[in-house]
Amino acid sequence: MGNQKQKWKAEEEEALRAGVAKHGTGKWKNILRDPEFAPFLTLRSNIDLKDKWRNLNVGTATQGSKEKSVKSPKIKAITDGPFSGTPNSLPIVLVSQDASCNAFIDNHSKNKSAGENAPRYSSTAMIIEAISTLKDPNGCNISAIYRFIEQSNEVPQNFRRFLSSKLRRLVLQGKLEKVEKGYKIKKDSLSGTKTPSPLQKDIRSRLLQHSGSMASVDETLEEAAASAAYKIADAENKSFVAAEAVKEAERVTKMAEDVDLLLQLVEEIYDQCSRGKSVMFA
């Protein structure tokens, strides 16, 4: 590694740019370790990447002032298939058309507002402002939104195509809704509430079911506790009644025994009287 005399190839420069776009400036070790870029930078070291990146930036800085005013959009590597690890399989590095339009709009808004101390607007804010201002009850079509933005902002040539894809993304994000004749701002986005995702709905339904089952369990436990308390009270009442019955039975038995003794005494008195004997009572 570190053969500085070898001339840089185009695929090596593209890999370096893509690596910086992904990991950031100064992360040379991370770029060399990244399996997406490592096969194209096997002959380069950290110092090689640092020097080459500085040279690329110096070369870019020497261009005209018109090119300086436009930020370089981030580049992203797009691979259609699995990475084979050979130099011929370099990922196609494309500059996103949406990123290009976003960079142009953001830079133009920044330059325009520099002398006016006005806030910086993004493409999303421009679209929302256009739809809010037009206030078409049937929805604003792409042409109306494009004309509104074009009147108050300088836009690139391919902005209409970018606007179409941006509107579709805003619909997917839930900020806009697609109607028959155009686009409208979604009510949920205005009120600050978000429509729950299917996963959130599923979790919420499960929580409701769980809470419902817990409530039924609590009700069952309360009913069981009440039934047990009633049975205990009933058992205590029956035990009290039984104890009173036992006491009454003992009292009646004692009375019966007293009666038997009295009968025996009467029989003895009668027997003696029948024999002519006198009976003396103390």
Side-chain angles (χ1 to χ4, degrees):
M1 296 180 65
N3 188 3
Q4 299 179 358
K5 296 181 180 180
Q6 187 173 357
K7 186 178 179 180
W8 278 72
K9 299 178 182 180
E11 55 266 22
E12 290 178 320
E13 293 183 2
E14 296 295 340
L16 175 58
R17 290 192 180 94
V20 172
K22 180 177 181 180
H23 297 284
T25 306
K27 305 294 183 179
W28 314 121
K29 289 185 180 181
N30 295 341
I31 295 174
L32 290 175
R33 293 173 182 172
D34 195 321
E36 185 178 353
F37 313 115
F40 308 101
L41 302 171
T42 54
L43 300 178
R44 305 299 174 183
S45 66
N46 300 344
I47 298 176
D48 294 337
L49 299 185
K50 178 181 178 182
D51 294 339
K52 185 61 179 177
W53 184 250
R54 184 175 64 251
N55 293 336
L56 291 174
N57 288 337
V58 170
T60 304
T62 57
Q63 296 180 1
S65 59
K66 182 179 179 179
E67 295 180 355
K68 287 183 181 179
S69 63
V70 180
K71 293 182 180 179
S72 299
K74 293 184 179 180
I75 57 179
K76 54 183 179 180
I78 303 175
T79 55
D80 294 335
F83 187 73
S84 62
T86 61
N88 293 330
S89 63
L90 176 67
I92 301 174
V93 180
L94 299 175
V95 176
S96 171
Q97 198 173 47
D98 294 350
S100 145
C101 286
N102 270 325
F104 182 90
I105 294 171
D106 291 342
N107 279 317
H108 173 69
S109 300
K110 183 178 180 181
N111 295 333
K112 184 178 178 181
S113 61
E116 302 174 1
N117 294 326
R120 179 179 174 181
Y121 292 99
S122 65
S123 56
T124 302
M126 291 181 182
I127 294 172
I128 298 296
E129 180 185 6
I131 298 176
S132 301
T133 305
L134 294 173
K135 295 181 180 179
D136 192 338
N138 297 323
C140 301
N141 54 33
I142 297 178
S143 300
I145 298 172
Y146 175 78
R147 286 194 299 270
F148 180 88
I149 296 176
E150 188 181 27
Q151 289 174 359
S152 56
N153 300 277
E154 183 180 349
V155 296
Q157 295 179 354
N158 59 346
F159 180 72
R160 188 181 181 89
R161 184 183 303 174
F162 160 77
L163 179 62
S164 177
S165 62
K166 184 69 175 179
L167 288 170
R168 288 195 296 269
R169 283 202 304 272
L170 291 176
V171 171
L172 293 176
Q173 293 172 2
K175 297 181 180 180
L176 299 179
E177 59 179 340
K178 183 72 170 66
V179 293
E180 183 178 356
K181 295 184 179 181
Y183 297 88
K184 297 174 65 176
I185 299 176
K186 203 167 187 179
K187 295 181 179 179
D188 292 344
S189 63
L190 291 176
S191 60
T193 57
K194 295 183 178 179
T195 303
S197 62
L199 179 59
Q200 292 173 335
K201 291 181 179 179
D202 182 58
I203 294 175
R204 186 176 299 173
S205 63
R206 290 185 180 181
L207 289 175
L208 291 175
Q209 292 177 358
H210 180 68
S211 61
S213 61
M214 290 298 294
S216 62
V217 170
D218 292 340
E219 292 178 358
T220 304
L221 291 176
E222 290 178 359
E223 292 177 356
S227 177
Y230 174 78
K231 290 181 179 179
I232 291 173
D234 185 60
E236 290 177 351
N237 184 41
K238 289 181 178 179
S239 175
F240 176 77
V241 172
E244 292 296 325
V246 170
K247 291 180 181 179
E248 182 68 17
E250 290 177 352
R251 188 177 66 82
V252 171
T253 302
K254 187 176 180 181
M255 288 178 62
E257 291 176 353
D258 293 342
V259 170
D260 289 340
L261 291 175
L262 183 60
L263 289 175
Q264 290 177 4
L265 180 59
V266 170
E267 289 178 354
E268 289 179 358
I269 294 172
Y270 176 76
D271 184 45
Q272 290 183 9
C273 286
S274 60
R275 292 176 182 177
K277 295 181 179 181
S278 60
V279 179
M280 300 294 293
F281 293 97

